[in-house]
mmCIF file of all heavy atoms in Angstrom:
data_model
loop_
_atom_site.group_PDB
_atom_site.id
_atom_site.type_symbol
_atom_site.label_atom_id
_atom_site.label_comp_id
_atom_site.label_asym_id
_atom_site.label_seq_id
_atom_site.Cartn_x
_atom_site.Cartn_y
_atom_site.Cartn_z
ATOM 1 N N LEU S 63 -10.098 3.125 -13.064
ATOM 2 C CA LEU S 63 -8.778 2.760 -12.541
ATOM 3 C C LEU S 63 -8.584 3.228 -11.105
ATOM 4 O O LEU S 63 -8.003 2.515 -10.285
ATOM 5 C CB LEU S 63 -7.672 3.333 -13.426
ATOM 6 C CG LEU S 63 -7.453 2.657 -14.762
ATOM 7 C CD1 LEU S 63 -6.510 3.488 -15.632
ATOM 8 C CD2 LEU S 63 -6.911 1.261 -14.565
ATOM 9 N N ALA S 64 -9.059 4.432 -10.802
ATOM 10 C CA ALA S 64 -8.907 4.969 -9.445
ATOM 11 C C ALA S 64 -9.613 4.075 -8.430
ATOM 12 O O ALA S 64 -9.048 3.741 -7.382
ATOM 13 C CB ALA S 64 -9.457 6.394 -9.375
ATOM 14 N N LYS S 65 -10.815 3.685 -8.733
ATOM 15 C CA LYS S 65 -11.576 2.814 -7.832
ATOM 16 C C LYS S 65 -10.836 1.493 -7.606
ATOM 17 O O LYS S 65 -10.737 0.995 -6.480
ATOM 18 C CB LYS S 65 -12.963 2.553 -8.406
ATOM 19 C CG LYS S 65 -13.828 1.710 -7.530
ATOM 20 C CD LYS S 65 -15.214 1.516 -8.125
ATOM 21 C CE LYS S 65 -16.047 0.639 -7.226
ATOM 22 N NZ LYS S 65 -17.389 0.406 -7.756
ATOM 23 N N GLN S 66 -10.298 0.934 -8.670
ATOM 24 C CA GLN S 66 -9.618 -0.358 -8.574
ATOM 25 C C GLN S 66 -8.304 -0.266 -7.808
ATOM 26 O O GLN S 66 -8.017 -1.114 -6.959
ATOM 27 C CB GLN S 66 -9.384 -0.927 -9.975
ATOM 28 C CG GLN S 66 -10.670 -1.304 -10.665
ATOM 29 C CD GLN S 66 -10.465 -1.652 -12.130
ATOM 30 O OE1 GLN S 66 -9.549 -1.166 -12.790
ATOM 31 N NE2 GLN S 66 -11.337 -2.505 -12.641
ATOM 32 N N ILE S 67 -7.513 0.755 -8.084
ATOM 33 C CA ILE S 67 -6.201 0.839 -7.427
ATOM 34 C C ILE S 67 -6.337 1.237 -5.964
ATOM 35 O O ILE S 67 -5.571 0.770 -5.119
ATOM 36 C CB ILE S 67 -5.229 1.765 -8.202
ATOM 37 C CG1 ILE S 67 -3.785 1.404 -7.870
ATOM 38 C CG2 ILE S 67 -5.513 3.231 -7.939
ATOM 39 C CD1 ILE S 67 -2.763 1.973 -8.820
ATOM 40 N N ILE S 68 -7.332 2.057 -5.656
ATOM 41 C CA ILE S 68 -7.574 2.390 -4.250
ATOM 42 C C ILE S 68 -8.043 1.129 -3.519
ATOM 43 O O ILE S 68 -7.612 0.858 -2.392
ATOM 44 C CB ILE S 68 -8.589 3.545 -4.114
ATOM 45 C CG1 ILE S 68 -7.975 4.855 -4.604
ATOM 46 C CG2 ILE S 68 -9.096 3.683 -2.679
ATOM 47 C CD1 ILE S 68 -6.717 5.304 -3.866
ATOM 48 N N GLY S 69 -8.892 0.346 -4.169
ATOM 49 C CA GLY S 69 -9.356 -0.900 -3.553
ATOM 50 C C GLY S 69 -8.241 -1.891 -3.304
ATOM 51 O O GLY S 69 -8.151 -2.486 -2.223
ATOM 52 N N SER S 70 -7.366 -2.067 -4.289
ATOM 53 C CA SER S 70 -6.286 -3.049 -4.113
ATOM 54 C C SER S 70 -5.254 -2.577 -3.099
ATOM 55 O O SER S 70 -4.773 -3.368 -2.282
ATOM 56 C CB SER S 70 -5.622 -3.393 -5.455
ATOM 57 O OG SER S 70 -4.954 -2.289 -6.020
ATOM 58 N N SER S 71 -4.930 -1.292 -3.103
ATOM 59 C CA SER S 71 -3.939 -0.800 -2.130
ATOM 60 C C SER S 71 -4.517 -0.785 -0.717
ATOM 61 O O SER S 71 -3.802 -1.055 0.249
ATOM 62 C CB SER S 71 -3.408 0.580 -2.531
ATOM 63 O OG SER S 71 -4.424 1.544 -2.572
ATOM 64 N N ASP S 72 -5.805 -0.522 -0.597
ATOM 65 C CA ASP S 72 -6.466 -0.615 0.707
ATOM 66 C C ASP S 72 -6.440 -2.059 1.211
ATOM 67 O O ASP S 72 -6.235 -2.311 2.396
ATOM 68 C CB ASP S 72 -7.910 -0.116 0.599
ATOM 69 C CG ASP S 72 -8.684 -0.339 1.880
ATOM 70 O OD1 ASP S 72 -8.290 0.242 2.914
ATOM 71 O OD2 ASP S 72 -9.659 -1.097 1.854
ATOM 72 N N SER S 73 -6.615 -2.992 0.300
ATOM 73 C CA SER S 73 -6.639 -4.410 0.666
ATOM 74 C C SER S 73 -5.301 -4.884 1.229
ATOM 75 O O SER S 73 -5.267 -5.762 2.101
ATOM 76 C CB SER S 73 -7.034 -5.241 -0.557
ATOM 77 O OG SER S 73 -7.117 -6.603 -0.238
ATOM 78 N N VAL S 74 -4.205 -4.313 0.761
ATOM 79 C CA VAL S 74 -2.892 -4.670 1.311
ATOM 80 C C VAL S 74 -2.891 -4.377 2.811
ATOM 81 O O VAL S 74 -2.572 -5.244 3.633
ATOM 82 C CB VAL S 74 -1.742 -3.898 0.622
ATOM 83 C CG1 VAL S 74 -0.402 -4.259 1.254
ATOM 84 C CG2 VAL S 74 -1.719 -4.162 -0.877
ATOM 85 N N CYS S 75 -3.290 -3.165 3.149
ATOM 86 C CA CYS S 75 -3.307 -2.747 4.563
ATOM 87 C C CYS S 75 -4.341 -3.517 5.372
ATOM 88 O O CYS S 75 -4.047 -4.012 6.465
ATOM 89 C CB CYS S 75 -3.602 -1.249 4.660
ATOM 90 S SG CYS S 75 -2.395 -0.204 3.837
ATOM 91 N N SER S 76 -5.547 -3.612 4.859
ATOM 92 C CA SER S 76 -6.625 -4.215 5.649
ATOM 93 C C SER S 76 -6.378 -5.694 5.912
ATOM 94 O O SER S 76 -6.745 -6.207 6.978
ATOM 95 C CB SER S 76 -7.984 -3.987 4.990
ATOM 96 O OG SER S 76 -8.046 -4.573 3.722
ATOM 97 N N ASN S 77 -5.746 -6.389 4.982
ATOM 98 C CA ASN S 77 -5.455 -7.804 5.224
ATOM 99 C C ASN S 77 -4.312 -8.002 6.211
ATOM 100 O O ASN S 77 -4.309 -8.980 6.958
ATOM 101 C CB ASN S 77 -5.202 -8.538 3.903
ATOM 102 C CG ASN S 77 -6.500 -8.861 3.210
ATOM 103 O OD1 ASN S 77 -7.342 -9.558 3.756
ATOM 104 N ND2 ASN S 77 -6.684 -8.327 2.022
ATOM 105 N N ILE S 78 -3.369 -7.085 6.259
ATOM 106 C CA ILE S 78 -2.348 -7.136 7.312
ATOM 107 C C ILE S 78 -3.035 -6.921 8.663
ATOM 108 O O ILE S 78 -2.787 -7.660 9.620
ATOM 109 C CB ILE S 78 -1.241 -6.085 7.083
ATOM 110 C CG1 ILE S 78 -0.404 -6.450 5.860
ATOM 111 C CG2 ILE S 78 -0.355 -5.962 8.330
ATOM 112 C CD1 ILE S 78 0.575 -5.367 5.432
ATOM 113 N N GLU S 79 -3.900 -5.926 8.732
ATOM 114 C CA GLU S 79 -4.612 -5.632 9.982
ATOM 115 C C GLU S 79 -5.432 -6.841 10.445
ATOM 116 O O GLU S 79 -5.355 -7.244 11.607
ATOM 117 C CB GLU S 79 -5.533 -4.426 9.779
ATOM 118 C CG GLU S 79 -4.800 -3.139 9.535
ATOM 119 C CD GLU S 79 -5.625 -2.070 8.838
ATOM 120 O OE1 GLU S 79 -6.793 -2.329 8.463
ATOM 121 O OE2 GLU S 79 -5.089 -0.957 8.640
ATOM 122 N N GLU S 80 -6.191 -7.402 9.526
ATOM 123 C CA GLU S 80 -7.026 -8.540 9.913
ATOM 124 C C GLU S 80 -6.186 -9.768 10.238
ATOM 125 O O GLU S 80 -6.445 -10.471 11.216
ATOM 126 C CB GLU S 80 -8.045 -8.873 8.826
ATOM 127 C CG GLU S 80 -9.010 -9.931 9.288
ATOM 128 C CD GLU S 80 -10.287 -9.997 8.488
ATOM 129 O OE1 GLU S 80 -10.494 -9.175 7.582
ATOM 130 O OE2 GLU S 80 -11.082 -10.903 8.788
ATOM 131 N N GLY S 81 -5.170 -10.029 9.429
ATOM 132 C CA GLY S 81 -4.296 -11.172 9.698
ATOM 133 C C GLY S 81 -3.597 -11.052 11.031
ATOM 134 O O GLY S 81 -3.511 -12.010 11.797
ATOM 135 N N PHE S 82 -3.135 -9.859 11.336
ATOM 136 C CA PHE S 82 -2.466 -9.628 12.612
ATOM 137 C C PHE S 82 -3.423 -9.872 13.763
ATOM 138 O O PHE S 82 -3.054 -10.419 14.796
ATOM 139 C CB PHE S 82 -1.913 -8.202 12.667
ATOM 140 C CG PHE S 82 -0.807 -8.032 13.650
ATOM 141 C CD1 PHE S 82 0.510 -8.207 13.258
ATOM 142 C CD2 PHE S 82 -1.064 -7.710 14.969
ATOM 143 C CE1 PHE S 82 1.547 -8.042 14.161
ATOM 144 C CE2 PHE S 82 -0.035 -7.542 15.883
ATOM 145 C CZ PHE S 82 1.269 -7.718 15.480
ATOM 146 N N GLY S 83 -4.669 -9.498 13.552
ATOM 147 C CA GLY S 83 -5.685 -9.718 14.574
ATOM 148 C C GLY S 83 -5.979 -11.185 14.817
ATOM 149 O O GLY S 83 -6.475 -11.564 15.878
ATOM 150 N N ARG S 84 -5.659 -12.027 13.847
ATOM 151 C CA ARG S 84 -5.880 -13.466 13.991
ATOM 152 C C ARG S 84 -4.792 -14.113 14.837
ATOM 153 O O ARG S 84 -4.945 -15.227 15.305
ATOM 154 C CB ARG S 84 -5.922 -14.160 12.625
ATOM 155 C CG ARG S 84 -6.954 -13.616 11.677
ATOM 156 C CD ARG S 84 -8.349 -13.869 12.177
ATOM 157 N NE ARG S 84 -9.331 -13.189 11.342
ATOM 158 C CZ ARG S 84 -10.428 -13.736 10.904
ATOM 159 N NH1 ARG S 84 -10.733 -14.978 11.215
ATOM 160 N NH2 ARG S 84 -11.258 -13.040 10.169
ATOM 161 N N GLY S 85 -3.678 -13.418 14.985
ATOM 162 C CA GLY S 85 -2.631 -13.888 15.882
ATOM 163 C C GLY S 85 -1.566 -14.738 15.237
ATOM 164 O O GLY S 85 -0.440 -14.324 15.101
ATOM 165 N N TYR S 86 -1.905 -15.934 14.813
ATOM 166 C CA TYR S 86 -0.899 -16.858 14.289
ATOM 167 C C TYR S 86 -1.597 -17.978 13.525
ATOM 168 O O TYR S 86 -2.820 -18.084 13.520
ATOM 169 C CB TYR S 86 -0.072 -17.457 15.438
ATOM 170 C CG TYR S 86 -0.924 -18.187 16.454
ATOM 171 C CD1 TYR S 86 -1.193 -19.553 16.318
ATOM 172 C CD2 TYR S 86 -1.477 -17.514 17.536
ATOM 173 C CE1 TYR S 86 -1.997 -20.205 17.234
ATOM 174 C CE2 TYR S 86 -2.275 -18.169 18.458
ATOM 175 C CZ TYR S 86 -2.530 -19.522 18.295
ATOM 176 O OH TYR S 86 -3.325 -20.170 19.199
ATOM 177 N N GLY S 87 -0.782 -18.811 12.907
ATOM 178 C CA GLY S 87 -1.309 -20.004 12.262
ATOM 179 C C GLY S 87 -1.859 -19.781 10.863
ATOM 180 O O GLY S 87 -1.515 -18.829 10.184
ATOM 181 N N LYS S 88 -2.720 -20.723 10.463
ATOM 182 C CA LYS S 88 -3.228 -20.748 9.091
ATOM 183 C C LYS S 88 -3.982 -19.481 8.705
ATOM 184 O O LYS S 88 -3.855 -19.001 7.584
ATOM 185 C CB LYS S 88 -4.130 -21.962 8.885
ATOM 186 C CG LYS S 88 -3.384 -23.265 8.834
ATOM 187 C CD LYS S 88 -4.332 -24.425 8.569
ATOM 188 C CE LYS S 88 -3.561 -25.739 8.577
ATOM 189 N NZ LYS S 88 -4.450 -26.873 8.312
ATOM 190 N N GLN S 89 -4.783 -18.944 9.612
ATOM 191 C CA GLN S 89 -5.542 -17.738 9.271
ATOM 192 C C GLN S 89 -4.628 -16.537 9.043
ATOM 193 O O GLN S 89 -4.847 -15.762 8.119
ATOM 194 C CB GLN S 89 -6.573 -17.418 10.344
ATOM 195 C CG GLN S 89 -7.769 -18.346 10.294
ATOM 196 C CD GLN S 89 -8.866 -17.885 11.226
ATOM 197 O OE1 GLN S 89 -8.594 -17.432 12.335
ATOM 198 N NE2 GLN S 89 -10.094 -17.989 10.777
ATOM 199 N N LEU S 90 -3.617 -16.387 9.872
ATOM 200 C CA LEU S 90 -2.654 -15.313 9.677
ATOM 201 C C LEU S 90 -2.003 -15.439 8.302
ATOM 202 O O LEU S 90 -1.950 -14.472 7.539
ATOM 203 C CB LEU S 90 -1.580 -15.337 10.768
ATOM 204 C CG LEU S 90 -0.417 -14.365 10.564
ATOM 205 C CD1 LEU S 90 -0.851 -12.944 10.865
ATOM 206 C CD2 LEU S 90 0.756 -14.751 11.427
ATOM 207 N N LEU S 91 -1.555 -16.620 7.974
ATOM 208 C CA LEU S 91 -0.918 -16.847 6.674
ATOM 209 C C LEU S 91 -1.881 -16.577 5.523
ATOM 210 O O LEU S 91 -1.496 -16.035 4.491
ATOM 211 C CB LEU S 91 -0.379 -18.282 6.585
ATOM 212 C CG LEU S 91 0.796 -18.605 7.506
ATOM 213 C CD1 LEU S 91 1.136 -20.087 7.416
ATOM 214 C CD2 LEU S 91 2.003 -17.754 7.164
ATOM 215 N N GLN S 92 -3.123 -16.962 5.689
ATOM 216 C CA GLN S 92 -4.126 -16.741 4.660
ATOM 217 C C GLN S 92 -4.290 -15.238 4.386
ATOM 218 O O GLN S 92 -4.261 -14.810 3.232
ATOM 219 C CB GLN S 92 -5.455 -17.348 5.084
ATOM 220 C CG GLN S 92 -6.571 -17.166 4.087
ATOM 221 C CD GLN S 92 -7.884 -17.755 4.577
ATOM 222 O OE1 GLN S 92 -8.051 -18.074 5.752
ATOM 223 N NE2 GLN S 92 -8.828 -17.901 3.670
ATOM 224 N N PHE S 93 -4.424 -14.446 5.434
ATOM 225 C CA PHE S 93 -4.610 -13.014 5.241
ATOM 226 C C PHE S 93 -3.342 -12.336 4.733
ATOM 227 O O PHE S 93 -3.413 -11.408 3.921
ATOM 228 C CB PHE S 93 -5.133 -12.352 6.518
ATOM 229 C CG PHE S 93 -6.598 -12.584 6.705
ATOM 230 C CD1 PHE S 93 -7.041 -13.618 7.513
ATOM 231 C CD2 PHE S 93 -7.533 -11.804 6.055
ATOM 232 C CE1 PHE S 93 -8.400 -13.853 7.674
ATOM 233 C CE2 PHE S 93 -8.884 -12.029 6.204
ATOM 234 C CZ PHE S 93 -9.327 -13.061 7.015
ATOM 235 N N TYR S 94 -2.195 -12.801 5.175
ATOM 236 C CA TYR S 94 -0.951 -12.255 4.634
ATOM 237 C C TYR S 94 -0.814 -12.611 3.156
ATOM 238 O O TYR S 94 -0.295 -11.823 2.369
ATOM 239 C CB TYR S 94 0.250 -12.762 5.431
ATOM 240 C CG TYR S 94 0.481 -12.033 6.739
ATOM 241 C CD1 TYR S 94 -0.451 -11.142 7.270
ATOM 242 C CD2 TYR S 94 1.638 -12.238 7.466
ATOM 243 C CE1 TYR S 94 -0.231 -10.492 8.473
ATOM 244 C CE2 TYR S 94 1.868 -11.580 8.664
ATOM 245 C CZ TYR S 94 0.924 -10.714 9.161
ATOM 246 O OH TYR S 94 1.155 -10.059 10.349
ATOM 247 N N GLY S 95 -1.281 -13.782 2.780
ATOM 248 C CA GLY S 95 -1.289 -14.164 1.365
ATOM 249 C C GLY S 95 -2.195 -13.256 0.547
ATOM 250 O O GLY S 95 -1.853 -12.843 -0.564
ATOM 251 N N TYR S 96 -3.352 -12.931 1.096
ATOM 252 C CA TYR S 96 -4.249 -11.988 0.419
ATOM 253 C C TYR S 96 -3.570 -10.629 0.260
ATOM 254 O O TYR S 96 -3.689 -9.976 -0.792
ATOM 255 C CB TYR S 96 -5.541 -11.784 1.216
ATOM 256 C CG TYR S 96 -6.436 -12.977 1.363
ATOM 257 C CD1 TYR S 96 -7.311 -13.059 2.445
ATOM 258 C CD2 TYR S 96 -6.442 -14.029 0.451
ATOM 259 C CE1 TYR S 96 -8.162 -14.136 2.609
ATOM 260 C CE2 TYR S 96 -7.287 -15.123 0.602
ATOM 261 C CZ TYR S 96 -8.149 -15.170 1.688
ATOM 262 O OH TYR S 96 -8.991 -16.229 1.849
ATOM 263 N N SER S 97 -2.877 -10.206 1.302
ATOM 264 C CA SER S 97 -2.186 -8.926 1.266
ATOM 265 C C SER S 97 -1.112 -8.918 0.173
ATOM 266 O O SER S 97 -0.987 -7.938 -0.579
ATOM 267 C CB SER S 97 -1.568 -8.623 2.632
ATOM 268 O OG SER S 97 -1.001 -7.345 2.647
ATOM 269 N N LEU S 98 -0.368 -10.001 0.072
ATOM 270 C CA LEU S 98 0.653 -10.117 -0.972
ATOM 271 C C LEU S 98 0.016 -10.041 -2.355
ATOM 272 O O LEU S 98 0.498 -9.329 -3.242
ATOM 273 C CB LEU S 98 1.432 -11.423 -0.808
ATOM 274 C CG LEU S 98 2.455 -11.745 -1.892
ATOM 275 C CD1 LEU S 98 3.523 -10.661 -1.993
ATOM 276 C CD2 LEU S 98 3.079 -13.107 -1.630
ATOM 277 N N GLY S 99 -1.083 -10.755 -2.550
ATOM 278 C CA GLY S 99 -1.773 -10.715 -3.838
ATOM 279 C C GLY S 99 -2.251 -9.308 -4.175
ATOM 280 O O GLY S 99 -2.127 -8.855 -5.320
ATOM 281 N N SER S 100 -2.770 -8.614 -3.199
ATOM 282 C CA SER S 100 -3.238 -7.242 -3.421
ATOM 283 C C SER S 100 -2.085 -6.292 -3.715
ATOM 284 O O SER S 100 -2.231 -5.355 -4.504
ATOM 285 C CB SER S 100 -4.033 -6.758 -2.212
ATOM 286 O OG SER S 100 -5.224 -7.499 -2.089
ATOM 287 N N ALA S 101 -0.940 -6.523 -3.080
ATOM 288 C CA ALA S 101 0.246 -5.697 -3.363
ATOM 289 C C ALA S 101 0.685 -5.891 -4.811
ATOM 290 O O ALA S 101 1.009 -4.919 -5.512
ATOM 291 C CB ALA S 101 1.377 -6.042 -2.402
ATOM 292 N N ARG S 102 0.677 -7.123 -5.261
ATOM 293 C CA ARG S 102 1.041 -7.394 -6.663
ATOM 294 C C ARG S 102 0.007 -6.791 -7.617
ATOM 295 O O ARG S 102 0.357 -6.270 -8.680
ATOM 296 C CB ARG S 102 1.186 -8.893 -6.879
ATOM 297 C CG ARG S 102 2.441 -9.447 -6.244
ATOM 298 C CD ARG S 102 2.604 -10.934 -6.490
ATOM 299 N NE ARG S 102 3.939 -11.348 -6.136
ATOM 300 C CZ ARG S 102 4.231 -12.529 -5.623
ATOM 301 N NH1 ARG S 102 3.277 -13.427 -5.409
ATOM 302 N NH2 ARG S 102 5.482 -12.837 -5.323
ATOM 303 N N GLU S 103 -1.256 -6.877 -7.249
ATOM 304 C CA GLU S 103 -2.312 -6.277 -8.065
ATOM 305 C C GLU S 103 -2.112 -4.766 -8.162
ATOM 306 O O GLU S 103 -2.237 -4.177 -9.250
ATOM 307 C CB GLU S 103 -3.678 -6.590 -7.451
ATOM 308 C CG GLU S 103 -4.839 -5.963 -8.189
ATOM 309 C CD GLU S 103 -6.176 -6.202 -7.515
ATOM 310 O OE1 GLU S 103 -6.268 -7.023 -6.574
ATOM 311 O OE2 GLU S 103 -7.148 -5.549 -7.935
ATOM 312 N N THR S 104 -1.804 -4.128 -7.058
ATOM 313 C CA THR S 104 -1.580 -2.688 -7.046
ATOM 314 C C THR S 104 -0.419 -2.319 -7.964
ATOM 315 O O THR S 104 -0.507 -1.355 -8.733
ATOM 316 C CB THR S 104 -1.321 -2.193 -5.609
ATOM 317 O OG1 THR S 104 -2.461 -2.508 -4.804
ATOM 318 C CG2 THR S 104 -1.054 -0.702 -5.568
ATOM 319 N N LYS S 105 0.634 -3.086 -7.906
ATOM 320 C CA LYS S 105 1.798 -2.829 -8.768
ATOM 321 C C LYS S 105 1.409 -2.925 -10.246
ATOM 322 O O LYS S 105 1.759 -2.067 -11.054
ATOM 323 C CB LYS S 105 2.909 -3.828 -8.427
ATOM 324 C CG LYS S 105 4.175 -3.644 -9.218
ATOM 325 C CD LYS S 105 5.208 -4.660 -8.757
ATOM 326 C CE LYS S 105 6.422 -4.673 -9.628
ATOM 327 N NZ LYS S 105 7.392 -5.695 -9.193
ATOM 328 N N GLY S 106 0.662 -3.957 -10.591
ATOM 329 C CA GLY S 106 0.214 -4.113 -11.973
ATOM 330 C C GLY S 106 -0.714 -2.984 -12.404
ATOM 331 O O GLY S 106 -0.636 -2.487 -13.533
#
Side-chain angles (χ1 to χ4, degrees):
L63 286 169
K65 182 178 179 181
Q66 293 171 332
I67 203 165
I68 291 300
S70 65
S71 61
D72 173 62
S73 182
V74 178
C75 300
S76 61
N77 281 301
I78 291 171
E79 293 158 357
E80 187 161 357
F82 202 91
R84 303 294 173 134
Y86 58 90
K88 288 182 182 180
Q89 285 188 320
L90 173 75
L91 292 174
Q92 180 182 14
F93 282 96
Y94 280 10
Y96 295 155
S97 185
L98 175 60
S100 294
R102 287 182 167 146
E103 178 184 349
T104 300
K105 182 178 172 182

